[in-house]
C-alpha cells in the first residue's frame, strides 16, 4: 500500500503535472486516441517519447530496493496492483462500464476508475492521481502554480 501511495504521490506531483505544463510527449501521446508511448515512438520514429513513459513508472520502481528489504512479497504485489490498475483505468469506455458495486468500493477507498480517468483524458486539468483520487485537488493547485511560473518565465525571457 505504501508503494502505491508514495508512487502515485511522486508520479503525480513530480512527473504528471509538470509534464502537462512543460512537456510535450505526455499530452501528445496520453491525451490522444492512440495512448501508447511505444506505438507513438515507433510510428513517429521518436524513441525519446519512451522516456516520458518511463518517468511515469519510475516513482513506483524507485522504491523497490527499500520496500524489498521490508517485504519482497508486498513489493511484488504492489507493482502488480499498480500495473493492473494502469491497464484497468485505460479500458475503452465505449465497451466498459464499471459495475456499481465496484464504483462504490472505489469511491470509499478513493481509487480512480476508468470513467474518472477518462475525465482526465477529456480535460487535462482535472481528475489527477493515477491510482488515488485524493491527489486531484492538490494536483490542480500545483498545476495552476506551475502554469503561473511558466507564464512569468516566458514573459521575462521572451
Amino acid at each position: 500500500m505504501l508503494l502505491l501511495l508514495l508512487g502515485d504521490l511522486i508520479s503525480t506531483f513530480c512527473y504528471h503535472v509538470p509534464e502537462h505544463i512543460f512537456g510535450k510527449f505526455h499530452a501528445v501521446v496520453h491525451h490522444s486516441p492512440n495512448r501508447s508511448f511505444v506505438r507513438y515512438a515507433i510510428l513517429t520514429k521518436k524513441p525519446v517519447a519512451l522516456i516520458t513513459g518511463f518517468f511515469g513508472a519510475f516513482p513506483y520502481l524507485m522504491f523497490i530496493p527499500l520496500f524489498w528489504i521490508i517485504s519482497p512479497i508486498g513489493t511484488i504485489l504492489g507493482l502488480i496492483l499498480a500495473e493492473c490498475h494502469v491497464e484497468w483505468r485505460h479500458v475503452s469506455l465505449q465497451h466498459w462500464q464499471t459495475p456499481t458495486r465496484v464504483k462504490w468500493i472505489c469511491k470509499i477507498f478513493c481509487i480512480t476508475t476508468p470513467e474518472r480517468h477518462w475525465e482526465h483524458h477529456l480535460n487535462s486539468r482535472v481528475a489527477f492521481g493515477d491510482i488515488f483520487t485524493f491527489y486531484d485537488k492538490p494536483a490542480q493547485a500545483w498545476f495552476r502554480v506551475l502554469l503561473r511560473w511558466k507564464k512569468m518565465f516566458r514573459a521575462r525571457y521572451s
Side-chain angles (χ1 to χ4, degrees):
M1 192 63 182
L2 195 55
L3 176 82
L4 299 176
L5 286 167
L6 290 174
D8 196 14
L9 174 79
I10 293 170
S11 180
T12 298
F13 293 95
C14 297
Y15 163 70
H16 193 178
V17 174
E19 177 67 15
H20 274 279
I21 303 298
F22 302 107
K24 67 177 185 176
F25 288 119
H26 177 82
V28 168
V29 176
H30 196 71
H31 292 276
S32 71
N34 173 18
R35 295 181 317 277
S36 166
F37 285 102
V38 174
R39 185 160 186 241
Y40 177 83
I42 292 169
L43 290 176
T44 62
K45 296 179 178 64
K46 294 181 181 176
V48 72
L50 294 174
I51 293 171
T52 59
F54 172 76
F55 285 149
F58 182 73
Y60 299 92
L61 302 175
M62 67 187 247
F63 289 109
I64 290 174
L66 174 65
F67 292 146
W68 190 267
I69 295 167
I70 299 167
S71 172
I73 293 171
T75 303
I76 292 169
L77 183 59
L79 292 170
I80 289 170
L81 287 172
E83 181 57 30
C84 287
H85 190 265
V86 166
E87 296 300 324
W88 179 58
R89 75 171 188 258
H90 284 110
V91 297
S92 170
L93 289 185
Q94 295 173 342
H95 308 291
W96 175 263
Q97 183 173 357
T98 303
T100 305
R101 284 189 181 174
V102 174
K103 276 187 189 177
W104 182 75
I105 291 168
C106 288
K107 187 172 185 169
I108 289 172
F109 291 104
C110 300
I111 296 173
T112 299
T113 62
E115 292 85 356
R116 180 168 172 83
H117 189 67
W118 270 94
E119 289 178 34
H120 181 69
H121 280 270
L122 298 173
N123 179 356
S124 63
R125 292 176 176 237
V126 300
F128 283 99
D130 288 337
I131 296 174
F132 299 104
T133 60
F134 49 75
Y135 289 128
D136 179 41
K137 293 297 180 196
Q140 287 182 36
W142 182 230
F143 185 101
R144 290 188 297 273
V145 166
L146 291 179
L147 189 59
R148 200 172 319 120
W149 288 352
K150 181 179 178 180
K151 287 178 181 178
M152 288 185 334
F153 182 80
R154 279 190 175 164
R156 180 176 285 171
Y157 297 105
S158 295

